[in-house]
Amino acid sequence: NTILLDDLPARKVATRLGMHVVGSAGVLLLAKENDLITAVAPHLNTMRANGLYVSNELDARVLRTAGEA
């Protein structure tokens, strides 16, 4: 079972329950891998601008994984 969660306490509970957790940044990576979007950065920037907290470290890691850094 996979669940989409960004809230850290909820992610920890879901993980303890044996669920596979994917966050919003992970969904963007999956979308790029499946050719649904051409770039992660603009979508991640929009999400951040609209209030999604993404640490600078996670942002950099996601962009490296996406080949955009």
Side-chain angles (χ1 to χ4, degrees):
N1 294 339
T2 301
I3 188 166
L4 171 62
L5 291 170
D6 287 316
D7 181 70
L8 185 58
R11 291 175 68 99
K12 289 180 179 181
V13 170
T15 300
R16 276 197 306 266
L17 293 173
M19 301 184 90
H20 178 250
V21 179
V22 176
S24 296
V27 170
L28 291 176
L29 288 171
L30 289 169
K32 184 173 179 180
E33 288 174 15
N34 288 284
D35 297 321
L36 299 172
I37 60 175
T38 57
V40 168
H43 300 284
L44 190 57
N45 291 338
T46 298
M47 290 168 43
R48 290 180 90 176
N50 284 292
L52 178 70
Y53 174 76
V54 177
S55 69
N56 291 334
E57 178 184 325
L58 177 60
D59 186 81
R61 188 174 36 174
V62 168
L63 294 178
R64 275 194 311 273
T65 301
E68 299 178 32

